[in-house]
Amino acid sequence: MSGVTQFRRKARIAISDIRLQGALEGATQKFRTGRTAALADLPDAGALRDHFKAIRQATIAQLADHLETFERNAQASGAQVHWAADGDEACRIITGIAQQHGVKLTTKSKSMTSEEIGLNDALADAGVEPVETDLGEWIVQLAGEPPSHIVGPALHKTRQQVAELLSKEAGKELDADDIPLLTAEARRMLRQKFLDAGLGISGANIGVAESGSIVLVTNEGNGRLVTSAPPVHIALMGIEKIAPTWDDAAVWLSLLARSATGQPLSVYTSVVTGPAKSDDIDGPQEVHIVLLDNGRSKLLNTPFEEVLQCIRCGACLNVCPVYRAAGGHSYGSHYSGPIGAVISPLLFGLEKHAALPQASTLCGACLDECPSRIDLPRMLLALRAEEVESGLIPLPERLLERAAARVMGNHRLLSAAGTGLRLGQIPLAQGETLNIPRRFNPAQDRRLPALPKKSFRQMWRDGDLDE
Amino acid sequence: MNSRHKILNQLRSNGRAAETPGPWRSRRQFDDLAARFADALTAAKGECRRAGSLDDALDQLHQLLRELSAGKIVVNAEPPFIELDLPSRWPDFQWHTVGQSDGDLRAFCAAATVGLSGADAALAETGSVIVSSGPGRSRLATLLPEIHLALVPTSSLTADIFTWTAGRQGVLPANQIIVSGPSKTGDIEQTMAIGVHGPKRFIVILYDEG
Ligand code: SF4
């Protein structure tokens, strides 16, 4: 099955799933209103976003220099820096460190980058048990599913489904209506894992070049535990997540949580600058930072360079009419929503993700929301153009579009088509709207206006428009 | 060619000159930093108590510890606790002073009701407290106990994250945390639940010095 049909099939199933629709609307709306209120509370959110965009743009243009500064300062703090050209290399480096320390159990704090490279499978293959510790990420891990949202990985799950998964893990029946109890049970079960783990693995929201620090934000505190309890900590970071200075990191932090969840700051911002110092009382003896390229560096100086400015806040997902209807899993990539529709083809191949650039109405809502003002609609269009050029559009659609171009380019054909459609719509028309067959409108929530009796051209000719 | 060279070369050959904008300066002006701090922390589900002096803060602390029927208390050996010797003052509780008491710190923290800390700084805008690792300052002491209680002098308040980074000096500790409330999650049906992995309560006693 081609990628295009696969997306449509999954999206169709998602759209007819009333429960999922409710979950998506509830969650994304909560994020949306939170974000709007949090930005409104800032004295000058618009200017701050412009400033951030300028920082991100300049940083990416000079990424090599900033990465070298970052590496130098991280090493000076005692951290070990590794470079991985692709996901396989990053997995090899990380499993290698785990094996070298004889690690059997590793706790992980949520990292989209580690999802991107399939790190959990690589660890399991190497005989290391990875345990996700972000509650949402743990839930999807227990369910054997990928995350369905960058920020809320389990937002597609009901509390009944969560209770079922956690009950199995706890070996006792847990009441689905008691969310505090579910949370407390998760705390109890994961607490032991934190203390037993020989290795903590995290992502990195920001790498600050000026000090060689890794910055990690979490609300649950799992990021703190992963970087504090085990004797070894590995942080996996995409090479684009660099802030040159602490002033720049402050701008980043002040936009990240506000855009993601509507909080002024996440509950915990952890700044890790090397392993425990000799007179520190606790903390890891070793800190490793793995810098991951995996297709990022080749985007520099292309029409898609802008995606490297993304900070994975998820705001574009929450406003996207396609994400809100189709849900994260339809995208067939760990990155969903508008940003996923752009980076999945870029990082993992346009052929594999041919449907995604189509999965957009180009309404522009994502651009309005993005803290780095990334022009995703422009790039979606550019990817569509590439798809047409490389023949990735399904044949019926190509024929239809060719026909449409033909008709629209010729006024006689156009008015003939108009007459044809006016006649053709009669069986479907109901007053001013069209009855869309259920097959194309599974949730019965789509409306299409009927073609008016007269076309614009006809009205023009008849002088109806003269005033 | 190793990956480091490959990545850097690729980035360098496609990079270009660019001028990074200067630092963003805080546009916040709070008439009353302490009031804003208390409001923001409360909004984030933390708790803030005000005290007129360190003695007042200690009285409130003692009262609070009794109310909580705190059994085990771990305290960082940092200001304002260093000179106070709380374990001899209040011997009714079981104490572990970081870096001074015998016994396994980690096990003690995991079983403790309360972790006591000071603060490097506090951000009024977001109701945040900044805590560092270092000699006498355990990371787990503010993380594993049920409750994190911080004694913070009003003199450590600054407007926001921008005024804090602008005034920051010296080498960073290995671990520094900006705490803005108790541990929480919204991962089950977007319903907020408090106390997932970190402390279930985050209480700040904000006191005036002198
Ligand atoms: S593209 Fe923008 S809005 Fe979307 S996740 Fe990235 S930073 Fe956030």
Side-chain angles (χ1 to χ4, degrees), chain A residues 150 309-316 339 366 369-372 374 376:
Chain A
I150 299 181
Q309 298 163 14
C310 171
I311 60 171
R312 307 282 188 269
C313 71
C316 54
I339 181 64
C366 48
E369 296 290 287
C370 177
S372 335
I374 298 172
L376 292 168

Side-chain angles (χ1 to χ4, degrees), chain A residues 30 44 51 65 68 71 89 133 136 159 187 191 219-220 224 229 246 267 269 271 273 282 298 305, chain B residues 3-4 12 16 27 106 138-139 142 168 174 176 178 180 183-185 187 189-190 196-198:
Chain A
K30 203 156 192 174
D44 209 342
H51 186 86
D65 292 346
E68 277 184 328
E71 179 188 41
E89 189 177 5
T133 60
R159 59 184 187 282
R187 176 188 177 98
R191 179 56 74 87
N219 280 321
E220 301 180 358
R224 289 179 69 187
W246 268 102
V267 175
T269 304
V271 181
T273 313
D282 44 22
K298 68 169 199 279
E305 179 183 309
Chain B
S3 295
R4 180 179 185 279
R12 200 151 267 140
R16 61 185 175 277
R27 300 188 181 183
R106 180 192 276 246
S138 158
R139 310 170 186 218
T142 56
R168 214 177 44 86
Q176 192 167 47
I178 309 174
S180 316
S183 158
K184 57 168 94 97
T185 186
D187 277 342
E189 287 194 353
Q190 261 55 53
V196 202
H197 298 307

Side-chain angles (χ1 to χ4, degrees), chain A residues 315-372:
Chain A
C316 54
L317 278 63
N318 304 327
V319 290
C320 177
V322 176
Y323 176 88
R324 283 159 57 190
H329 287 160
S330 300
Y331 289 76
S333 164
H334 295 295
Y335 297 116
S336 57
I339 181 64
V342 176
I343 55 169
S344 305
L346 290 173
L347 297 183
F348 318 125
L350 187 54
E351 200 147 333
K352 186 162 171 224
H353 292 288
L356 300 193
Q358 313 284 331
S360 167
T361 64
L362 300 180
C363 68
C366 48
L367 171 58
D368 290 344
E369 296 290 287
C370 177
S372 335

